[in-house]
Amino acid sequence: MKKLNVMLGAVLVAAGLTSCKTDTEMAAENKIDRYESFYDSVNNLEDEEKMANWNAIKAEHKNRLSEADAAIETMKEEEQEDAQERINDTKQKYEEMEMTVSENVNNAAANTLYVSYFGEGNGIGNDMKFEWVNKDNILSVYERFVATFDANKDNYSRQDFDKIKAWYEALDTRKNTVEKEGLTSEDNGEIAKLKLGFAPKFKWERMTAKGDENEAAKEAANE
């Protein structure tokens, strides 16, 4: 009986402490709970869903984190340290997740860009060997490459231009090998014409894109 009375007394004390919290303090705890719950809900999503909604997730994370940070200021001093640790722990886990998702997004974008230039089933975005290119198809590969660039050059970012440049140089390296495997002089001549028209055009578009992005960055910094 004495043990039961002690337990009941402890419950009453805990209830009394809870009831002493103001609405503001309870609201502050709820905001920190919301921040942790937000991370958990996003972390439980499939990778594809995270990638598809990442911009919205980043915006919502910013809001939830701001709420949680502001909530600490309304808490009792003895509770602030624990609350800050909870926020920091969740923020660290979110940043680790962000790195993974960003890498997945970049890889998916690179693969999509790669497919637009070389088609499905012909390697992936970081393929620099082009072993599937041979004397019989290399002219059509160059033709598709140049046509794809002409059709989409106004939509590329600086990073896209860097990837395209790397692929183009790797394709040229592959051409050196294919020439030794029986590339016809007719096809070689047609490829030379394509390259002659492509090189200055690509250089200009890439330089313009870099200039536009630098200008946009300056304007954003001055806002």
Side-chain angles (χ1 to χ4, degrees), residues 41-67:
S41 64
V42 172
N43 191 47
N44 288 331
L45 295 174
E46 297 291 335
D47 288 343
E48 292 77 9
E49 194 169 358
K50 290 177 189 174
M51 292 165 59
N53 298 282
W54 191 244
N55 287 336
I57 290 171
K58 287 197 296 184
E60 184 62 18
H61 172 261
K62 184 177 179 180
N63 292 335
R64 296 290 180 95
L65 178 58
S66 295
E67 282 185 355

PDB file of all heavy atoms in Angstrom, residues 41-67:
ATOM      1  N   SER A  41       8.308  12.093 -41.375  1.00  0.00           N
ATOM      2  CA  SER A  41       7.379  11.830 -42.472  1.00  0.00           C
ATOM      3  C   SER A  41       8.081  11.881 -43.825  1.00  0.00           C
ATOM      4  O   SER A  41       7.813  11.058 -44.707  1.00  0.00           O
ATOM      5  CB  SER A  41       6.212  12.833 -42.439  1.00  0.00           C
ATOM      6  OG  SER A  41       6.682  14.156 -42.658  1.00  0.00           O
ATOM      7  N   VAL A  42       8.993  12.836 -43.997  1.00  0.00           N
ATOM      8  CA  VAL A  42       9.727  12.931 -45.258  1.00  0.00           C
ATOM      9  C   VAL A  42      10.687  11.758 -45.401  1.00  0.00           C
ATOM     10  O   VAL A  42      10.821  11.173 -46.486  1.00  0.00           O
ATOM     11  CB  VAL A  42      10.501  14.262 -45.334  1.00  0.00           C
ATOM     12  CG1 VAL A  42      11.416  14.282 -46.556  1.00  0.00           C
ATOM     13  CG2 VAL A  42       9.544  15.441 -45.385  1.00  0.00           C
ATOM     14  N   ASN A  43      11.347  11.399 -44.328  1.00  0.00           N
ATOM     15  CA  ASN A  43      12.316  10.308 -44.365  1.00  0.00           C
ATOM     16  C   ASN A  43      11.661   8.979 -44.732  1.00  0.00           C
ATOM     17  O   ASN A  43      12.311   8.102 -45.306  1.00  0.00           O
ATOM     18  CB  ASN A  43      13.016  10.188 -43.012  1.00  0.00           C
ATOM     19  CG  ASN A  43      14.224   9.264 -43.056  1.00  0.00           C
ATOM     20  OD1 ASN A  43      15.053   9.360 -43.953  1.00  0.00           O
ATOM     21  ND2 ASN A  43      14.310   8.372 -42.088  1.00  0.00           N
ATOM     22  N   ASN A  44      10.382   8.848 -44.434  1.00  0.00           N
ATOM     23  CA  ASN A  44       9.663   7.603 -44.715  1.00  0.00           C
ATOM     24  C   ASN A  44       9.152   7.524 -46.152  1.00  0.00           C
ATOM     25  O   ASN A  44       8.625   6.490 -46.559  1.00  0.00           O
ATOM     26  CB  ASN A  44       8.491   7.435 -43.741  1.00  0.00           C
ATOM     27  CG  ASN A  44       8.954   7.101 -42.332  1.00  0.00           C
ATOM     28  OD1 ASN A  44      10.005   6.491 -42.152  1.00  0.00           O
ATOM     29  ND2 ASN A  44       8.189   7.506 -41.335  1.00  0.00           N
ATOM     30  N   LEU A  45       9.281   8.608 -46.910  1.00  0.00           N
ATOM     31  CA  LEU A  45       8.839   8.598 -48.300  1.00  0.00           C
ATOM     32  C   LEU A  45       9.784   7.760 -49.156  1.00  0.00           C
ATOM     33  O   LEU A  45      10.968   7.624 -48.855  1.00  0.00           O
ATOM     34  CB  LEU A  45       8.795  10.020 -48.863  1.00  0.00           C
ATOM     35  CG  LEU A  45       7.795  11.000 -48.252  1.00  0.00           C
ATOM     36  CD1 LEU A  45       8.000  12.384 -48.850  1.00  0.00           C
ATOM     37  CD2 LEU A  45       6.368  10.529 -48.473  1.00  0.00           C
ATOM     38  N   GLU A  46       9.268   7.228 -50.261  1.00  0.00           N
ATOM     39  CA  GLU A  46      10.114   6.550 -51.234  1.00  0.00           C
ATOM     40  C   GLU A  46      11.042   7.572 -51.897  1.00  0.00           C
ATOM     41  O   GLU A  46      10.709   8.759 -52.002  1.00  0.00           O
ATOM     42  CB  GLU A  46       9.255   5.862 -52.302  1.00  0.00           C
ATOM     43  CG  GLU A  46       8.352   4.760 -51.771  1.00  0.00           C
ATOM     44  CD  GLU A  46       9.141   3.540 -51.305  1.00  0.00           C
ATOM     45  OE1 GLU A  46      10.271   3.355 -51.808  1.00  0.00           O
ATOM     46  OE2 GLU A  46       8.631   2.789 -50.458  1.00  0.00           O
ATOM     47  N   ASP A  47      12.196   7.113 -52.344  1.00  0.00           N
ATOM     48  CA  ASP A  47      13.175   8.023 -52.949  1.00  0.00           C
ATOM     49  C   ASP A  47      12.582   8.798 -54.119  1.00  0.00           C
ATOM     50  O   ASP A  47      12.834   9.999 -54.282  1.00  0.00           O
ATOM     51  CB  ASP A  47      14.405   7.239 -53.424  1.00  0.00           C
ATOM     52  CG  ASP A  47      15.257   6.755 -52.262  1.00  0.00           C
ATOM     53  OD1 ASP A  47      15.088   7.286 -51.141  1.00  0.00           O
ATOM     54  OD2 ASP A  47      16.100   5.863 -52.475  1.00  0.00           O
ATOM     55  N   GLU A  48      11.788   8.112 -54.948  1.00  0.00           N
ATOM     56  CA  GLU A  48      11.206   8.773 -56.117  1.00  0.00           C
ATOM     57  C   GLU A  48      10.273   9.899 -55.697  1.00  0.00           C
ATOM     58  O   GLU A  48      10.233  10.964 -56.335  1.00  0.00           O
ATOM     59  CB  GLU A  48      10.441   7.767 -56.978  1.00  0.00           C
ATOM     60  CG  GLU A  48      11.308   6.725 -57.665  1.00  0.00           C
ATOM     61  CD  GLU A  48      11.773   5.630 -56.731  1.00  0.00           C
ATOM     62  OE1 GLU A  48      11.284   5.577 -55.568  1.00  0.00           O
ATOM     63  OE2 GLU A  48      12.630   4.814 -57.146  1.00  0.00           O
ATOM     64  N   GLU A  49       9.523   9.681 -54.621  1.00  0.00           N
ATOM     65  CA  GLU A  49       8.594  10.706 -54.145  1.00  0.00           C
ATOM     66  C   GLU A  49       9.339  11.892 -53.551  1.00  0.00           C
ATOM     67  O   GLU A  49       8.954  13.043 -53.729  1.00  0.00           O
ATOM     68  CB  GLU A  49       7.638  10.107 -53.114  1.00  0.00           C
ATOM     69  CG  GLU A  49       6.433  10.979 -52.814  1.00  0.00           C
ATOM     70  CD  GLU A  49       5.372  10.275 -52.008  1.00  0.00           C
ATOM     71  OE1 GLU A  49       5.540   9.075 -51.709  1.00  0.00           O
ATOM     72  OE2 GLU A  49       4.367  10.925 -51.676  1.00  0.00           O
ATOM     73  N   LYS A  50      10.425  11.610 -52.851  1.00  0.00           N
ATOM     74  CA  LYS A  50      11.256  12.698 -52.328  1.00  0.00           C
ATOM     75  C   LYS A  50      11.792  13.553 -53.470  1.00  0.00           C
ATOM     76  O   LYS A  50      11.747  14.782 -53.426  1.00  0.00           O
ATOM     77  CB  LYS A  50      12.436  12.134 -51.524  1.00  0.00           C
ATOM     78  CG  LYS A  50      12.090  11.481 -50.208  1.00  0.00           C
ATOM     79  CD  LYS A  50      13.355  10.923 -49.576  1.00  0.00           C
ATOM     80  CE  LYS A  50      13.045  10.058 -48.364  1.00  0.00           C
ATOM     81  NZ  LYS A  50      14.255   9.396 -47.838  1.00  0.00           N
ATOM     82  N   MET A  51      12.313  12.902 -54.488  1.00  0.00           N
ATOM     83  CA  MET A  51      12.906  13.620 -55.609  1.00  0.00           C
ATOM     84  C   MET A  51      11.873  14.457 -56.336  1.00  0.00           C
ATOM     85  O   MET A  51      12.129  15.607 -56.707  1.00  0.00           O
ATOM     86  CB  MET A  51      13.566  12.628 -56.566  1.00  0.00           C
ATOM     87  CG  MET A  51      14.794  11.938 -55.993  1.00  0.00           C
ATOM     88  SD  MET A  51      15.302  10.470 -56.937  1.00  0.00           S
ATOM     89  CE  MET A  51      15.609  11.177 -58.553  1.00  0.00           C
ATOM     90  N   ALA A  52      10.693  13.897 -56.536  1.00  0.00           N
ATOM     91  CA  ALA A  52       9.647  14.591 -57.291  1.00  0.00           C
ATOM     92  C   ALA A  52       9.130  15.817 -56.556  1.00  0.00           C
ATOM     93  O   ALA A  52       8.665  16.774 -57.178  1.00  0.00           O
ATOM     94  CB  ALA A  52       8.496  13.633 -57.587  1.00  0.00           C
ATOM     95  N   ASN A  53       9.216  15.803 -55.221  1.00  0.00           N
ATOM     96  CA  ASN A  53       8.643  16.894 -54.422  1.00  0.00           C
ATOM     97  C   ASN A  53       9.703  17.655 -53.626  1.00  0.00           C
ATOM     98  O   ASN A  53       9.378  18.338 -52.652  1.00  0.00           O
ATOM     99  CB  ASN A  53       7.603  16.320 -53.448  1.00  0.00           C
ATOM    100  CG  ASN A  53       6.447  15.658 -54.152  1.00  0.00           C
ATOM    101  OD1 ASN A  53       5.540  16.314 -54.657  1.00  0.00           O
ATOM    102  ND2 ASN A  53       6.464  14.340 -54.195  1.00  0.00           N
ATOM    103  N   TRP A  54      10.960  17.561 -54.055  1.00  0.00           N
ATOM    104  CA  TRP A  54      12.037  18.071 -53.222  1.00  0.00           C
ATOM    105  C   TRP A  54      11.978  19.576 -53.011  1.00  0.00           C
ATOM    106  O   TRP A  54      12.268  20.067 -51.917  1.00  0.00           O
ATOM    107  CB  TRP A  54      13.393  17.655 -53.772  1.00  0.00           C
ATOM    108  CG  TRP A  54      14.490  17.951 -52.800  1.00  0.00           C
ATOM    109  CD1 TRP A  54      15.526  18.803 -52.921  1.00  0.00           C
ATOM    110  CD2 TRP A  54      14.615  17.379 -51.479  1.00  0.00           C
ATOM    111  NE1 TRP A  54      16.298  18.804 -51.793  1.00  0.00           N
ATOM    112  CE2 TRP A  54      15.767  17.944 -50.894  1.00  0.00           C
ATOM    113  CE3 TRP A  54      13.868  16.448 -50.756  1.00  0.00           C
ATOM    114  CZ2 TRP A  54      16.182  17.611 -49.607  1.00  0.00           C
ATOM    115  CZ3 TRP A  54      14.297  16.121 -49.470  1.00  0.00           C
ATOM    116  CH2 TRP A  54      15.432  16.694 -48.921  1.00  0.00           C
ATOM    117  N   ASN A  55      11.613  20.334 -54.009  1.00  0.00           N
ATOM    118  CA  ASN A  55      11.536  21.788 -53.831  1.00  0.00           C
ATOM    119  C   ASN A  55      10.504  22.167 -52.783  1.00  0.00           C
ATOM    120  O   ASN A  55      10.735  23.047 -51.948  1.00  0.00           O
ATOM    121  CB  ASN A  55      11.203  22.472 -55.163  1.00  0.00           C
ATOM    122  CG  ASN A  55      12.379  22.463 -56.124  1.00  0.00           C
ATOM    123  OD1 ASN A  55      13.534  22.370 -55.704  1.00  0.00           O
ATOM    124  ND2 ASN A  55      12.102  22.547 -57.410  1.00  0.00           N
ATOM    125  N   ALA A  56       9.365  21.500 -52.811  1.00  0.00           N
ATOM    126  CA  ALA A  56       8.326  21.756 -51.805  1.00  0.00           C
ATOM    127  C   ALA A  56       8.782  21.315 -50.422  1.00  0.00           C
ATOM    128  O   ALA A  56       8.512  21.981 -49.413  1.00  0.00           O
ATOM    129  CB  ALA A  56       7.027  21.040 -52.186  1.00  0.00           C
ATOM    130  N   ILE A  57       9.506  20.196 -50.367  1.00  0.00           N
ATOM    131  CA  ILE A  57      10.016  19.696 -49.085  1.00  0.00           C
ATOM    132  C   ILE A  57      11.017  20.682 -48.492  1.00  0.00           C
ATOM    133  O   ILE A  57      10.985  20.979 -47.294  1.00  0.00           O
ATOM    134  CB  ILE A  57      10.662  18.306 -49.278  1.00  0.00           C
ATOM    135  CG1 ILE A  57       9.586  17.262 -49.567  1.00  0.00           C
ATOM    136  CG2 ILE A  57      11.470  17.907 -48.041  1.00  0.00           C
ATOM    137  CD1 ILE A  57      10.140  15.911 -49.985  1.00  0.00           C
ATOM    138  N   LYS A  58      11.909  21.214 -49.322  1.00  0.00           N
ATOM    139  CA  LYS A  58      12.904  22.177 -48.832  1.00  0.00           C
ATOM    140  C   LYS A  58      12.229  23.431 -48.283  1.00  0.00           C
ATOM    141  O   LYS A  58      12.629  23.959 -47.239  1.00  0.00           O
ATOM    142  CB  LYS A  58      13.874  22.550 -49.955  1.00  0.00           C
ATOM    143  CG  LYS A  58      14.859  21.467 -50.312  1.00  0.00           C
ATOM    144  CD  LYS A  58      16.033  22.026 -51.098  1.00  0.00           C
ATOM    145  CE  LYS A  58      15.596  22.585 -52.424  1.00  0.00           C
ATOM    146  NZ  LYS A  58      16.768  23.034 -53.231  1.00  0.00           N
ATOM    147  N   ALA A  59      11.207  23.903 -48.985  1.00  0.00           N
ATOM    148  CA  ALA A  59      10.498  25.107 -48.531  1.00  0.00           C
ATOM    149  C   ALA A  59       9.791  24.851 -47.204  1.00  0.00           C
ATOM    150  O   ALA A  59       9.830  25.690 -46.289  1.00  0.00           O
ATOM    151  CB  ALA A  59       9.501  25.549 -49.594  1.00  0.00           C
ATOM    152  N   GLU A  60       9.169  23.686 -47.086  1.00  0.00           N
ATOM    153  CA  GLU A  60       8.458  23.365 -45.847  1.00  0.00           C
ATOM    154  C   GLU A  60       9.443  23.145 -44.704  1.00  0.00           C
ATOM    155  O   GLU A  60       9.175  23.538 -43.558  1.00  0.00           O
ATOM    156  CB  GLU A  60       7.594  22.121 -46.044  1.00  0.00           C
ATOM    157  CG  GLU A  60       6.728  21.756 -44.845  1.00  0.00           C
ATOM    158  CD  GLU A  60       5.716  22.829 -44.483  1.00  0.00           C
ATOM    159  OE1 GLU A  60       5.427  23.709 -45.325  1.00  0.00           O
ATOM    160  OE2 GLU A  60       5.202  22.802 -43.338  1.00  0.00           O
ATOM    161  N   HIS A  61      10.587  22.548 -44.983  1.00  0.00           N
ATOM    162  CA  HIS A  61      11.598  22.366 -43.944  1.00  0.00           C
ATOM    163  C   HIS A  61      12.059  23.714 -43.404  1.00  0.00           C
ATOM    164  O   HIS A  61      12.228  23.887 -42.190  1.00  0.00           O
ATOM    165  CB  HIS A  61      12.803  21.597 -44.491  1.00  0.00           C
ATOM    166  CG  HIS A  61      13.947  21.539 -43.528  1.00  0.00           C
ATOM    167  ND1 HIS A  61      15.030  22.396 -43.607  1.00  0.00           N
ATOM    168  CD2 HIS A  61      14.167  20.760 -42.434  1.00  0.00           C
ATOM    169  CE1 HIS A  61      15.870  22.135 -42.618  1.00  0.00           C
ATOM    170  NE2 HIS A  61      15.382  21.150 -41.898  1.00  0.00           N
ATOM    171  N   LYS A  62      12.264  24.648 -44.289  1.00  0.00           N
ATOM    172  CA  LYS A  62      12.697  25.985 -43.870  1.00  0.00           C
ATOM    173  C   LYS A  62      11.676  26.606 -42.924  1.00  0.00           C
ATOM    174  O   LYS A  62      12.036  27.199 -41.891  1.00  0.00           O
ATOM    175  CB  LYS A  62      12.892  26.876 -45.098  1.00  0.00           C
ATOM    176  CG  LYS A  62      13.428  28.256 -44.768  1.00  0.00           C
ATOM    177  CD  LYS A  62      13.656  29.063 -46.044  1.00  0.00           C
ATOM    178  CE  LYS A  62      14.183  30.459 -45.720  1.00  0.00           C
ATOM    179  NZ  LYS A  62      14.400  31.252 -46.967  1.00  0.00           N
ATOM    180  N   ASN A  63      10.391  26.450 -43.246  1.00  0.00           N
ATOM    181  CA  ASN A  63       9.334  27.002 -42.386  1.00  0.00           C
ATOM    182  C   ASN A  63       9.297  26.314 -41.029  1.00  0.00           C
ATOM    183  O   ASN A  63       9.202  26.975 -39.983  1.00  0.00           O
ATOM    184  CB  ASN A  63       7.979  26.858 -43.076  1.00  0.00           C
ATOM    185  CG  ASN A  63       7.852  27.737 -44.302  1.00  0.00           C
ATOM    186  OD1 ASN A  63       8.528  28.756 -44.417  1.00  0.00           O
ATOM    187  ND2 ASN A  63       6.984  27.356 -45.227  1.00  0.00           N
ATOM    188  N   ARG A  64       9.361  24.982 -41.054  1.00  0.00           N
ATOM    189  CA  ARG A  64       9.291  24.229 -39.790  1.00  0.00           C
ATOM    190  C   ARG A  64      10.498  24.517 -38.907  1.00  0.00           C
ATOM    191  O   ARG A  64      10.368  24.634 -37.682  1.00  0.00           O
ATOM    192  CB  ARG A  64       9.212  22.730 -40.082  1.00  0.00           C
ATOM    193  CG  ARG A  64       7.952  22.288 -40.817  1.00  0.00           C
ATOM    194  CD  ARG A  64       6.711  22.384 -39.951  1.00  0.00           C
ATOM    195  NE  ARG A  64       5.537  21.949 -40.669  1.00  0.00           N
ATOM    196  CZ  ARG A  64       5.025  20.720 -40.615  1.00  0.00           C
ATOM    197  NH1 ARG A  64       5.609  19.808 -39.863  1.00  0.00           N
ATOM    198  NH2 ARG A  64       3.942  20.409 -41.291  1.00  0.00           N
ATOM    199  N   LEU A  65      11.669  24.640 -39.508  1.00  0.00           N
ATOM    200  CA  LEU A  65      12.875  24.930 -38.736  1.00  0.00           C
ATOM    201  C   LEU A  65      12.810  26.326 -38.128  1.00  0.00           C
ATOM    202  O   LEU A  65      13.187  26.523 -36.969  1.00  0.00           O
ATOM    203  CB  LEU A  65      14.114  24.798 -39.618  1.00  0.00           C
ATOM    204  CG  LEU A  65      15.460  25.114 -38.957  1.00  0.00           C
ATOM    205  CD1 LEU A  65      15.704  24.222 -37.742  1.00  0.00           C
ATOM    206  CD2 LEU A  65      16.597  24.963 -39.973  1.00  0.00           C
ATOM    207  N   SER A  66      12.312  27.287 -38.888  1.00  0.00           N
ATOM    208  CA  SER A  66      12.179  28.655 -38.376  1.00  0.00           C
ATOM    209  C   SER A  66      11.214  28.689 -37.195  1.00  0.00           C
ATOM    210  O   SER A  66      11.462  29.375 -36.194  1.00  0.00           O
ATOM    211  CB  SER A  66      11.671  29.586 -39.482  1.00  0.00           C
ATOM    212  OG  SER A  66      12.626  29.697 -40.513  1.00  0.00           O
ATOM    213  N   GLU A  67      10.126  27.955 -37.314  1.00  0.00           N
ATOM    214  CA  GLU A  67       9.157  27.872 -36.212  1.00  0.00           C
ATOM    215  C   GLU A  67       9.808  27.299 -34.958  1.00  0.00           C
ATOM    216  O   GLU A  67       9.619  27.805 -33.847  1.00  0.00           O
ATOM    217  CB  GLU A  67       7.977  26.983 -36.612  1.00  0.00           C
ATOM    218  CG  GLU A  67       6.961  27.637 -37.524  1.00  0.00           C
ATOM    219  CD  GLU A  67       5.768  26.736 -37.764  1.00  0.00           C
ATOM    220  OE1 GLU A  67       5.803  25.565 -37.294  1.00  0.00           O
ATOM    221  OE2 GLU A  67       4.804  27.178 -38.399  1.00  0.00           O
TER     222      GLU A  67
END
